[in-house]
Amino acid sequence: MNNNVRKLTDGAMMCAIVGVVLLINRQFGGLFEDMFLFLFPIPMVFYSAKYGWKDSIIVLIAICLIAFMLGSFVTLFYVGSESLIGLVYGNGIYTHQNSHRLVLITMFMGAVVNVLSTVVFASFFGYDIAAETKELETMMGNIFAQSGAEIPATINLGQYIRTIFVVTAILTGVLQGFVTHVLSRLLLKRMRFNVEPPTPVALYFPPKWSGYLGFLGFCMYYYSVYRPLPNELAQNLFQGVGMCGFLYLLIYGYIGLIVVLRIRNPKLRGVGMLLGLLAMFVMPVGLVIFGFLYITTDFHARLLEGVSYAEKNK
């Protein structure tokens, strides 16, 4: 088949798939755009991974036109933005970019899209952040009152809930981006695309500066809790950045614990996951400190050196 004809055929097929999904989404009252947003990038991932970004732009425009005809402006935003993520990811596969860089770009774009839809353009997308914050504040106040506990005077509950709302939007977008990455890899490998093998968790190591940055955010968070700032914008910034730093170190503390137990005894892999989850709830600060040491010291490198030495002397 002529290459240009094949491009047209594949492009039409991707548009048809998106059109069918949007028709199903319309029949189910927008279920897909609310719960299965991570599926929308997949058609563009396939097309741009095969033909590159230059030929994919026309298909992206066609998909946006279909979304405009079969849905609302909200549907157009979701489909257009997620298809753009798919185009960027697929083009990275086409140009053989590093998988770590690709997944970071995908998660960043997913976070930006989610923040835009739930925070920046909240009223346009049907979210009333003020009303939801007030409702949550009332509910939390009732829970504290029924349990006999008191909210510390240094904590502004409404402000705290708004910060959690923003951080949750960011983390949800990051998770959607990661799920898109995993599904795209599975699909492309099944279709015999040349995809780099995934890097084991034990071999992936973030830069040391990110650990110091995460610890700075952790300190900012606790400072803002115990010594609230007079400026509301600065307080929200400290709490938002602080929560991100706290969660970053917490996740790497969890990963570090799993890696240590897995290297010491491979049979303890499942136990390590359970212990990590338990530590997140029982001693989160300890896990955060362990995550900071795991990133910023040579502890990780020594673990891997020990494994290499053991394998050589078997």
Side-chain angles (χ1 to χ4, degrees), residues 65-83:
L65 289 174
I66 292 172
F68 178 73
M69 290 186 290
L70 298 179
S72 60
F73 283 105
V74 174
T75 306
L76 174 62
F77 174 82
Y78 281 135
V79 173
S81 57
E82 293 296 320
S83 297

Side-chain angles (χ1 to χ4, degrees), residues 26-297:
R26 191 172 180 177
Q27 292 298 317
F28 283 90
L31 177 68
F32 275 66
E33 68 187 49
D34 288 335
M35 299 184 64
F36 302 105
L37 200 60
F38 53 85
L39 294 176
F40 285 108
I42 303 299
M44 283 306 303
V45 168
F46 165 77
Y47 193 85
S48 58
K50 190 172 184 179
Y51 299 111
W53 71 271
K54 290 183 180 179
D55 293 315
S56 303
I57 290 176
I58 301 299
V59 179
L60 176 63
I61 294 172
I63 287 175
C64 290
L65 289 174
I66 292 172
F68 178 73
M69 290 186 290
L70 298 179
S72 60
F73 283 105
V74 174
T75 306
L76 174 62
F77 174 82
Y78 281 135
V79 173
S81 57
E82 293 296 320
S83 297
L84 179 61
I85 292 174
L87 188 152
V88 171
Y89 187 90
N91 183 67
I93 298 294
Y94 180 78
T95 55
H96 305 289
Q97 293 182 18
N98 184 275
S99 61
H100 293 159
R101 184 169 180 268
L102 271 180
V103 70
L104 288 175
I105 291 173
T106 306
M107 290 192 294
F108 174 75
M109 293 181 69
V112 170
V113 169
N114 214 47
V115 169
L116 287 175
S117 62
T118 57
V119 180
V120 180
F121 303 131
S123 58
F124 180 75
F125 285 87
Y127 302 111
D128 190 343
I129 295 179
E132 291 186 17
T133 301
K134 189 66 178 176
E135 184 178 347
L136 285 171
E137 188 177 354
T138 304
M139 184 175 66
M140 291 294 293
N142 292 336
I143 291 173
F144 274 97
Q146 290 174 5
S147 63
E150 292 185 2
I151 302 173
T154 56
I155 294 180
N156 185 329
L157 191 57
Q159 193 177 69
Y160 194 73
I161 290 172
R162 285 194 296 272
T163 305
I164 292 176
F165 193 83
V166 175
V167 173
T168 303
I170 294 172
L171 293 178
T172 303
V174 168
L175 181 61
Q176 287 175 349
F178 181 74
V179 172
T180 298
H181 162 72
V182 173
L183 290 178
S184 299
R185 289 185 63 88
L186 289 173
L187 173 69
L188 294 174
K189 285 182 71 175
R190 293 287 295 175
M191 302 185 76
R192 302 185 185 280
F193 276 79
N194 184 19
V195 181
E196 290 184 16
T199 305
V201 174
L203 297 180
Y204 180 68
F205 192 66
K208 288 188 177 182
W209 60 262
S210 67
Y212 291 106
L213 197 63
F215 192 75
L216 176 63
F218 171 70
C219 295
M220 290 169 62
Y221 172 71
Y222 271 90
Y223 183 85
S224 66
V225 169
Y226 292 105
R227 290 181 177 273
L229 302 174
N231 186 286
E232 184 177 350
L233 179 61
Q235 175 73 1
N236 289 335
L237 181 65
F238 265 56
Q239 287 191 341
V241 173
M243 281 185 187
C244 291
F246 180 87
L247 291 170
Y248 178 74
L249 295 179
L250 187 71
I251 289 169
Y252 268 100
Y254 175 73
I255 292 173
L257 184 61
I258 293 175
V259 170
V260 170
L261 292 175
R262 187 176 179 183
I263 288 176
R264 298 297 182 190
N265 189 343
K267 295 180 181 179
L268 295 177
R269 181 180 180 182
V271 176
M273 296 176 69
L274 292 174
L275 284 176
L277 288 173
L278 182 64
M280 281 186 175
F281 295 100
V282 177
M283 45 182 297
V285 176
L287 203 59
V288 164
I289 294 172
F290 181 67
F292 172 71
L293 296 174
Y294 180 76
I295 296 173
T296 57
T297 64

